[in-house]
Amino acid sequence: MNTERITNRQVICDTLLKAAQKDRDIVVVCSDSRGSASLGPFAERYPEQFVEMGIAEQNLVTVSAGLASCGKKVFAASPASFLAARSYEQAKVDVAYSEVNVTLIGISGGVSYGALGMTHHSCQDIAAMAALPGMRVYFPSDRFQTAKLIDALLGDEKPAYVRVSRSATEDVYDEKTDFVLNRAGVLRKGRDAVIVACGEMVPYAAEAARLLEEQGIDAGVVDMYCLKPLDQETLLWHARNVRLLVTVEEHSVFGGLGSLVSQVICRENPMKVLQLALPDEHLVGGTNREIFHHYGLDGEGIARAVKAALI
Amino acid sequence: MDGLTKKAYELRRDIIEEVYRSGAGHVGGDLSVIDILTVLYYEVMNVSPENWRDGNRDRFLLSKGHCVDALYMVLGDRGFFDKQEAIETFSAFGSRFIGHPNTAVPGIEMNSGSLGHGLALGVGMALAARMDQKSYRTYVVLGDGEMAEGSNYEAMMAAAHYRLDNLCAVVDLNRLQISGPTGQVMDSSDLGEKFKSFGWNVIPVADGNHCGQLTEAFREAAAFRGRPSVLLACTVKGKGVSFMEDQKGWHHGVMSREQYETAVRELEVALA
Ligand SMILES: Cc1ncc(C[n+]2csc(CCOP(=O)(O)OP(=O)(O)O)c2C)c(N)n1
Ligand SMILES: [Mg+2]
């Protein structure tokens, strides 16, 4: 239980603070986003390793690439909506194509911004970033996984896009849970169905599996935080043991987890895939939870859809 | 207190009500821009619920779209829709009154909220007016933090290149953005020089919360020929509520019950 409601963005800041104690090359770059990224403490503690770009996301990404080309280990944090859409060409050319050591942190992704509406939702960031050769794409679920992911990314020099949600996510792991980069997390195995989820949807998938169990349905839960490279081995192992594969994501139906999973399944193990995602339309306004509920993206909604698909 | 100033203070009271009820909104920027919006909608622009579908109406774009809370109150007060509905449902589930301008709401020309789009949209609207030989004018309100977006400078260049004297920009120069003073985050203190060097007619407004000064400046802009005009309106973020004035924390701060009551009381006193 994440009783203190620690957010993944706070965890990223803590992890970077720790790493910066020993590494002067770590640089954080923000675009009037240090507050929403929870990176204020980093800016205060390491002002020489912090660069403020103002409200200029394209500049943020390209300046980050320039810094990285000179040996800096750059973490550029800005709302996912602007980072992955407005700065897309900068990510494509300056970061992914030139393969520099920049980790793009897309904060408040998906529908985190709730009633701020479509300009602030980023429901296409995974599709967009995954289509860039050289860009890895991650969407961690809980705080423990987030910390371990950032630690792992500090250990290599390749570009990555990491999406994080705004609110605190329920714990699904603990400090001791094993983490291997690019290996999906397995919360439970199932005989009837397997639910593959990422990010904030993972605890909802786990809740759905509990609800389904009460109804005699055995559903597994896989945390595919590594969208690219997708962990095909784990995916296929689970898919081969069930009748129904379900994907759940806080993203458009196009080009996200459901699409990436389906591609592998079509090729390697054709079977029915139920894709639960946000519809291709202007979304209703409300808090992120209200939006999830409205589109059936919560424990109850997922369980209902899985049950209906199994009958 | 003259009529416009009184109106702006009444609208401030509405904004406080709307923002307090919803626990959402961007109250600091609302209070800095409300005088600009009041003067535009009650004095300067030819746009109303009656001519709202007419191609000759003046066009308005709130490029600093996060302050739509203020715009809703002005549009509601002008009769584009029921103001009370906006106050009661702002940011609520399923409401059309979401936290950024969207065209589901009468009176809103274009969706916005991602900063740095309004000026270029305005260039397009002003060019269309010329193509169609229409006499409407286009007004765009920008934030000073927003002026860090490079797209603004592309639009500035194009507006001057096409000599769009039917385009008028206003920068709400409240010297603050989310992370702190704009001068420290990304310095845009010489915006006047920048606009001038891009070929714009620059009109400084010493007190951008003064309805009289604003009205005068808009008149000057409308009379100016051959180049686009920009009003650099020196405002106070949070203007009218003492504890919010010039405080970065009120960019999107949420009021406690006591703070709400104090804010309402101060505005009542100003109106009395
Ligand atoms: C492209 C983009 N980047 C970031 C944001 C998030 N954001 C909303 S308001 C704001 C600060 C705006 O400051 P300013 O333009 O000075 O507005 P004001 O002070 O009038 O509120 C930021 C960074 C956004 N809406 N759009
Ligand atoms: Mg400002």
Side-chain angles (χ1 to χ4, degrees), chain A residues 31-33 55-57 78-79 82 86 120, chain B residues 26 28-30 32 64 66-67 100 113-117 142-147 149 172 174-178 182 237 251:
Chain A
S31 55
D32 199 12
S33 51
I55 309 171
E57 294 79 7
S78 186
F82 313 125
R86 195 191 203 93
H120 282 53
Chain B
H26 291 81
D30 290 347
S32 78
K64 48 167 257 178
H66 55 283
C67 294
H100 286 101
S114 175
L115 297 167
H117 288 240
L142 301 136
D144 53 354
E146 180 184 6
M147 289 309 296
E149 287 287 5
D172 181 0
N174 56 28
R175 304 174 321 282
L176 283 175
Q177 56 191 105
I178 299 181
T182 300
K237 205 159 175 168
H251 176 77

Side-chain angles (χ1 to χ4, degrees), chain B residues 9-269:
Chain B
Y9 269 85
E10 287 166 359
L11 289 167
R12 280 189 165 84
R13 209 174 42 190
D14 292 335
I15 290 168
I16 292 295
E17 193 66 33
E18 172 194 33
V19 167
Y20 175 67
R21 278 194 190 213
S22 63
H26 291 81
V27 68
D30 290 347
L31 296 177
S32 78
V33 82
I34 188 62
D35 306 288
I36 294 166
L37 298 181
T38 305
V39 169
L40 279 170
Y41 276 91
Y42 286 86
E43 190 69 26
V44 174
M45 287 198 301
N46 171 33
V47 61
S48 65
E50 292 72 43
N51 77 351
W52 160 235
R53 294 287 166 206
D54 179 344
N56 284 312
R57 70 184 180 282
D58 284 341
R59 303 300 202 274
F60 176 76
L61 296 161
L62 186 64
S63 194
K64 48 167 257 178
H66 55 283
C67 294
V68 74
D69 345 345
L71 182 58
Y72 287 152
M73 293 303 95
V74 176
L75 291 173
D77 197 71
R78 284 288 270 113
F80 283 85
F81 47 78
D82 175 16
K83 184 169 68 178
Q84 200 54 32
E85 184 197 335
I87 291 175
E88 282 168 18
T89 71
F90 174 61
S91 288
F93 178 74
S95 170
R96 58 186 168 154
F97 298 102
I98 62 170
H100 286 101
N102 76 103
T103 52
V105 175
I108 305 248
E109 297 281 354
M110 291 288 278
N111 296 320
S112 61
S114 175
L115 297 167
H117 288 240
L119 199 54
L121 285 169
V123 169
M125 290 175 170
L127 278 171
R130 182 178 292 167
M131 288 171 187
D132 295 344
Q133 281 151 18
K134 288 190 168 136
S135 59
Y136 68 80
R137 291 179 57 76
T138 299
Y139 293 89
V140 183
V141 171
L142 301 136
D144 53 354
E146 180 184 6
M147 289 309 296
E149 287 287 5
S151 51
N152 288 316
Y153 300 86
E154 299 179 23
M156 274 156 70
M157 199 176 319
H161 177 81
Y162 289 107
R163 304 188 161 275
L164 297 176
D165 55 15
N166 54 355
L167 177 67
C168 178
V170 185
V171 182
D172 181 0
L173 263 172
N174 56 28
R175 304 174 321 282
L176 283 175
Q177 56 191 105
I178 299 181
S179 308
T182 300
Q184 287 168 29
V185 178
M186 187 51 63
D187 195 0
S188 57
S189 52
D190 60 347
L191 271 181
E193 291 304 313
K194 289 189 173 75
F195 270 101
K196 217 174 279 165
S197 70
F198 274 77
W200 283 57
N201 173 42
V202 177
I203 305 173
V205 183
D207 182 354
N209 295 113
H210 189 286
C211 293
Q213 288 186 26
L214 287 165
T215 306
E216 198 44 52
F218 278 117
R219 265 199 208 113
E220 197 183 322
F224 193 85
R225 291 283 163 265
R227 282 185 285 143
S229 291
V230 59
L231 272 58
L232 297 180
C234 296
T235 56
V236 174
K237 205 159 175 168
K239 173 76 181 181
V241 175
S242 60
F243 60 88
M244 291 185 189
E245 288 189 0
D246 220 13
Q247 299 294 318
K248 77 163 181 177
W250 285 102
H251 176 77
H252 47 198
V254 174
M255 284 173 272
S256 67
R257 167 126 212 129
E258 286 86 341
Q259 286 170 325
Y260 160 73
E261 282 164 1
T262 308
V264 171
R265 209 176 319 116
E266 287 187 14
L267 294 170
E268 295 292 354
V269 169

